[in-house]
């Protein structure tokens, strides 16, 4: 298992350095514009859903613009839904006609995405749903989430499920052989008895590793990624994947395995409350919230995969683009406190969070201090402090009003050092602290 662990460390080296990625949920469900689960929630049959296939023609799809927006936001990789639960494929699969090349669009949308994002120097990944509400051999009646779960006319013969698995495995093979080097394979999702070897998971992972041994795979061939699974075990399954994938939540203390060791993880988070385009959902997170949550993930050795849901015309919503632009403005000046950084192994400070890279400690200030900013336990350990955004020198001192705390260091944004000063950036002011005599 040590060798397997070393393989995971090698595969995830870039992943743990890059820290910030874009998730893109897009498909036929952009037309009803009520989220990607609309078929399940509203119990829509294949026949009634067909009108969206017949209409689909994203005339403004410009993946080069998407890629530029992601790069400008400071994102280093992106993952697109090649196939979601509704079974519709954004790629030119030879195994089905239920694909974008057979719509009015007539385009292989995955291939265009991959080419555009690679051209911007971003790493690329594909999301692939293990389930398929369109396929005739996928369990329907009696399944907990299938749109036809209550319709006895859709009772399926369990003996035909292997035909679906052959189809599903075949599509994964197509993606891994016909589209060049992929950096991430993002599976979704296992539930109830549909987990692990129900997917012929060992066979599937053997195929993946044989075709693209470098590829980073999430842990959702197992039961619900956010609630457990053997990726957390001291000896994970072969198909457990390379990273844990908590959804719409940031783990309180990061993610550790049974041995108490940090494992790679990535929080996937929506910009509003839906993954797929939802025209009525205006509950967008602010750029400040996203910046602080990205910092929180990195401070716990995690990544943030931030989702956008393009509309039926192929456009990322304006609200999302504005947020990404503001995040990018902050990242341009403060990205060194994110890329290649991780947990600082220091107690969480009252005013915000730490991230760390070698002997550089990054103080992320979310709250203004009364008087000087306190750095618990760091007295005599600081070589210098600079404002990361512009390199301006900050004053490290022991002001008269800190005499009762001899083990702590202090800095401030002006003189006299015991005064109170506003934060230069109320979203997150980052101070780069170079530590003395540190061998990391």
């Amino acid at each position: 298992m040590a060798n397997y662990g070393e393989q995971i460390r090698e595969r995830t080296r870039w992943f743990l350095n890059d820290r910030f990625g874009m998730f893109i949920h897009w498909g036929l469900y952009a037309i009803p514009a009520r989220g990607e689960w609309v078929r399940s929630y509203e119990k829509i049959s294949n026949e009634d859903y067909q009108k969206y296939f017949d209409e689909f023609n994203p005339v403004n799809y410009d993946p080069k613009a998407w890629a530029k927006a992601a790069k400008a936001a400071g994102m280093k990789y992106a993952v697109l839904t090649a196939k979601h639960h509704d079974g519709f494929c954004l790629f030119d699969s030879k195994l089905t006609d239920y694909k974008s090349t057979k719509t009015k669009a007539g385009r292989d949308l995955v291939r265009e995405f991959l080419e555009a994002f690679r051209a911007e120097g971003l790493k690329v990944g594909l999301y692939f749903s293990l389930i398929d509400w369109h396929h005739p051999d996928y369990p329907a009646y009696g399944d907990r989430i299938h749109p036809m779960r209550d319709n006895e006319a859709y009772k399926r013969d369990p003996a035909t499920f292997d035909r679906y698995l052959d189809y599903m495995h075949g599509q994964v093979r197509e993606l891994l052989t016909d589209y060049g080097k992929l950096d991430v394979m993002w599976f979704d999702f296992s539930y109830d008895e549909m987990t692990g070897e129900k997917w012929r998971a060992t066979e599937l992972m053997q195929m993946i590793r044989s075709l693209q041994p470098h590829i980073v795979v999430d842990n959702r061939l197992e039961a619900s990624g956010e609630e457990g699974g053997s990726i957390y075990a001291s000896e994970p399954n072969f198909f457990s994947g390379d990273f844990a994938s908590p959804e719409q939540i940031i783990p309180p203390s990061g993610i550790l395995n049974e041995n108490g060791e940090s494992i790679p993880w990535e929080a996937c988070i929506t910009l509003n409350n839906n993954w797929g385009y939802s025209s009525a959902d205006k509950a967008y997170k602010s750029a400040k919230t996203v910046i602080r949550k990205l910092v929180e993930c990195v401070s716990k050795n995690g990544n943030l995969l931030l989702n956008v849901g393009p509309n039926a015309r192929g456009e990322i919503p304006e609200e999302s683009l504005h947020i990404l632009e503001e995040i990018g403005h902050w990242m341009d000046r403060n990205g060194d406190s994110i890329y290649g950084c991780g947990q600082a192994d220091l107690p969480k400070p009252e005013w915000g969070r730490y991230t760390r890279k070698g002997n550089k400690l990054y103080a992320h200030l979310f709250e203004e201090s009364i008087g000087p900013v306190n750095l618990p336990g760091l007295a005599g350990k600081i070589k210098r402090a600079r404002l990361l955004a512009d390199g301006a020198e900050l004053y490290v001192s022991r002001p008269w009003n800190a005499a009762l705390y001899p083990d702590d260091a202090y800095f401030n944004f002006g003189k006299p050092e015991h005064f109170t000063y506003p934060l230069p950036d109320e979203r997150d002011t980052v101070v780069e602290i170079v530590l003395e005599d540190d061998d990391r």
Side-chain angles (χ1 to χ4, degrees), residues 174-385:
E174 286 181 320
L175 292 172
L176 294 174
T177 55
D178 297 346
Y179 290 87
K181 179 186 177 183
L182 301 179
D183 300 290
V184 181
M185 194 76 214
W186 215 103
F187 288 116
D188 197 22
F189 69 98
S190 296
Y191 65 104
D192 301 339
E193 75 281 359
M194 310 296 287
T195 184
E197 292 299 359
K198 183 75 173 181
W199 306 120
R200 302 198 320 234
T202 297
E203 175 190 336
L204 182 62
M205 190 64 84
Q206 285 172 338
M207 182 250 289
I208 293 167
R209 295 294 179 218
S210 70
L211 293 172
Q212 299 209 26
H214 62 276
I215 200 168
V216 175
V217 183
D218 71 343
N219 66 321
R220 295 196 178 192
L221 285 169
E222 299 178 324
S224 185
E226 64 270 28
E227 295 177 4
S230 66
I231 195 173
Y232 307 98
S234 56
E235 294 189 7
N237 289 322
F238 175 66
F239 56 76
S240 295
D242 300 303
F243 67 95
S245 54
E247 180 173 330
Q248 300 286 51
I249 193 171
I250 297 175
S253 302
I255 296 185
L256 309 177
N257 65 15
E258 292 176 349
N259 297 332
E261 301 162 333
S262 178
I263 64 172
W265 64 272
E266 171 192 76
C268 52
I269 305 292
T270 52
L271 257 178
N272 50 11
N273 285 318
N274 285 270
W275 297 101
Y277 181 66
S278 179
S279 57
D281 182 1
K282 302 299 182 182
Y284 284 92
K285 300 169 181 65
S286 67
K288 178 171 78 172
T289 294
V290 175
I291 289 166
R292 292 184 177 190
K293 293 307 171 185
L294 171 60
V295 170
E296 181 179 348
C297 288
V298 176
S299 76
K300 299 173 179 178
N301 288 331
N303 288 22
L304 178 64
L305 186 65
L306 184 67
N307 183 76
V308 296
N311 63 27
R313 295 170 63 85
E315 303 156 332
I316 297 175
E318 284 293 323
E319 298 95 331
S320 298
L321 290 173
H322 290 320
I323 296 165
L324 293 176
E325 184 178 10
E326 185 176 343
I327 294 168
H329 183 269
W330 183 90
M331 289 289 284
D332 279 346
R333 292 153 179 77
N334 298 288
D336 283 351
S337 69
I338 299 296
Y339 307 127
C341 292
Q343 188 172 319
D345 296 323
L346 292 168
K348 180 187 177 301
E350 292 284 341
W351 35 256
R353 295 187 179 274
Y354 289 126
T355 58
R356 186 169 181 171
K357 178 165 47 186
N359 71 333
K360 291 182 178 179
L361 179 68
Y362 296 97
H364 296 261
L365 285 91
F366 301 161
E367 296 182 15
E368 289 187 356
S369 177
I370 298 297
V373 178
N374 174 256
L375 302 169
L378 293 182
K381 298 180 180 179
I382 296 176
K383 186 174 182 180
R384 64 176 180 271

Side-chain angles (χ1 to χ4, degrees), residues 370-425:
I370 298 297
V373 178
N374 174 256
L375 302 169
L378 293 182
K381 298 180 180 179
I382 296 176
K383 186 174 182 180
R384 64 176 180 271
R386 302 286 185 267
L387 196 63
L388 184 57
D390 63 5
E393 179 183 32
L394 298 182
Y395 305 104
V396 180
S397 64
R398 292 205 45 77
W400 67 268
N401 54 351
L404 292 176
Y405 311 102
D407 295 330
D408 298 351
Y410 292 82
F411 71 83
N412 217 331
F413 300 101
K415 287 190 174 185
E417 294 96 322
H418 61 279
F419 276 21
T420 297
Y421 299 94
L423 292 178
D425 188 336

Side-chain angles (χ1 to χ4, degrees), residues 11 16 35 38 56 66 75 101 104 136 160 162 169 202 221 282 288 302 307 310-311 317 375 389 391 421:
R11 282 195 294 266
L16 298 180
V38 62
F56 189 70
W66 292 9
M75 293 158 162
T101 51
K104 290 178 180 177
T160 68
D162 258 341
H169 283 222
T202 297
L221 285 169
K282 302 299 182 182
K288 178 171 78 172
N307 183 76
N311 63 27
L375 302 169
Y421 299 94

